[in-house]
Amino acid sequence: MSVSQLNPAAAASPMISRQWLSEYSMPLAYLVLFAVLSATVENFFSVTNVIGLMLSVAQIGMVACTMMLCLASRDFDLSVGSTIAFAGVLGAIVLEHSGSVAIAVAAGLGAGALIGALNGVLIAYLRVNALIATLATMLMVRGLAFIVSKGQAVGINDDSFIDFGDTRIFGLPLPVLVAGACFVVFGILLNQTVFGRNTLAIGGNPEAARLAGVRVERLRVWIFLLQGVVTAMAGLILASRITSGQPNAAQGFELDVISACVLGGVSLQGGKARIFGVLIGVLIMGTVENVMNLLDVDAFYQYLMRGLILLVAVLLDQLKTRGERR
């Protein structure tokens, strides 16, 4: 008799160990990385730097929550950086002309919703490939940001609007709290609702989901609409932090967000996502950039490192996918 027949528990033990390692490898790796950097990099573990680290990844964290849904449904969005820039510029212009923070915020969020809905319709109903559709909207929306701002930064002088980026509650900046709220809300949405289950279902097998009664096209539009609204919110908060709407803001932002999601275990093949993993991926991206800034690493090398992180994230996703198929 084989060992597995004599002792099924012993045979299952290595499988459980591999599964546990696959599930918790990234959190453990981040804890080790954080401990090593705290011991070796001056000022890394200071309260000021840790809060600054959280603030620097707040916008990435917000958008990663909805990018997670896009990737889980077997899509992605390359237009998020342009949407951030356009929402910030539009909000600043509307604020300048109306003097109303509420109208400015509504205009920015409305623009984000329209951009997201456009992406969703192009991909879900018109069957345009997600790469082409979101690449086209990325270029168009960035162009609109430059057109409406005449290629110039739009200054913000309203203290109420600037408070979005400066206000602290319980010692934490408001953008950090907003990002935390996004992780809670979208974590519940993914794991505890029919919306989340259907999102994973269409990512795993769209045709099977359709046969099970899921309205796949409409759900995809809603996912992209949520993506647009949350991205616009991140753009408005960024504009409040830098006190201006910048048409060239957030260039390359979409690659950082996708890298964070894939590092966090969101599969590029769709059907698999974990909100806690996305949080760890965001923290890894932010921590690496933070350390390079503390060590005064040249910006050119920072680009190189961000590219390597993206490549590693994709390779890890491929290795996990192959391992699950065996």
Side-chain angles (χ1 to χ4, degrees):
M1 297 180 69
S2 66
V3 175
S4 59
Q5 290 174 318
L6 291 171
N7 190 350
S13 181
M15 185 181 298
I16 294 172
S17 299
R18 285 195 298 269
Q19 184 178 358
W20 187 90
L21 185 62
S22 176
E23 290 289 325
Y24 297 103
S25 58
M26 292 306 294
L28 290 173
Y30 180 70
L31 287 176
V32 171
L33 174 66
F34 192 88
V36 170
L37 294 176
S38 299
T40 59
V41 179
E42 187 178 0
N43 296 324
F44 176 77
F45 196 55
S46 65
V47 174
T48 301
N49 186 64
V50 171
I51 292 177
L53 168 61
M54 291 189 291
L55 186 59
S56 69
V57 299
Q59 279 78 43
I60 293 177
M62 294 176 207
V63 180
C65 290
T66 45
M67 185 68 80
M68 171 191 69
L69 298 178
C70 287
L71 293 171
S73 64
R74 209 182 285 188
D75 289 316
F76 55 88
D77 186 358
L78 296 179
S79 67
V80 290
S82 298
T83 302
I84 282 180
F86 182 69
V89 166
L90 183 64
I93 291 174
V94 172
L95 180 64
E96 184 180 32
H97 286 85
S98 69
S100 170
V101 173
I103 294 175
V105 171
L109 295 180
L114 287 174
I115 295 166
L118 173 62
N119 281 331
V121 169
L122 288 172
I123 293 166
Y125 288 102
L126 300 181
R127 310 293 184 184
V128 180
N129 180 274
L131 172 65
I132 302 303
T134 59
L135 182 61
T137 52
M138 177 185 79
L139 297 172
M140 291 188 295
V141 173
R142 181 72 67 177
L144 284 174
F146 279 103
I147 290 168
V148 298
S149 67
K150 296 180 174 60
Q152 302 294 322
V154 183
I156 297 173
N157 299 312
D158 191 298
D159 291 337
S160 299
F161 193 92
I162 293 173
D163 283 345
F164 281 126
D166 280 349
T167 299
R168 296 203 171 205
I169 302 174
F170 305 118
L172 292 175
L174 184 59
V176 174
L177 297 176
V178 173
C182 285
F183 277 103
V184 172
V185 169
F186 285 101
I188 294 172
L189 190 67
L190 178 69
N191 298 311
Q192 306 295 331
T193 68
V194 174
F195 182 94
R197 289 193 292 272
N198 288 345
T199 297
L200 294 174
I202 67 174
N205 191 325
E207 292 306 317
R210 186 177 285 106
L211 291 172
V214 178
R215 301 182 68 173
V216 174
E217 287 77 16
R218 188 173 73 170
L219 183 61
R220 277 181 165 158
V221 172
W222 274 107
I223 290 170
F224 276 98
L225 190 147
L226 283 173
Q227 171 86 85
V229 171
V230 172
T231 303
M233 179 173 65
L236 292 167
I237 291 176
L238 179 62
S240 73
R241 286 181 56 198
I242 62 178
T243 66
S244 65
Q246 299 275 357
N248 60 351
Q251 293 187 7
F253 184 88
E254 54 281 339
L255 300 181
D256 290 339
V257 174
I258 292 173
S259 299
C261 287
V262 178
L263 274 174
V266 182
S267 176
L268 291 173
Q269 307 298 321
K272 183 180 178 183
R274 293 183 305 146
I275 192 69
F276 181 68
V278 173
L279 173 61
I280 296 299
V282 168
L283 289 175
I284 289 174
M285 292 292 297
T287 299
V288 170
E289 185 173 348
N290 178 262
V291 168
M292 288 192 293
N293 288 330
L294 287 176
L295 297 176
D296 198 25
V297 175
D298 191 280
F300 301 130
Y301 291 99
Q302 294 193 27
Y303 277 111
L304 175 63
M305 183 58 66
R306 287 162 63 186
L308 286 173
I309 290 174
L310 176 59
L311 180 60
V312 168
V314 173
L315 289 175
L316 287 174
D317 177 66
Q318 291 293 323
L319 290 173
K320 286 183 180 179
T321 301
R322 291 174 187 173
E324 290 169 358
R325 288 174 179 172
R326 291 176 182 175

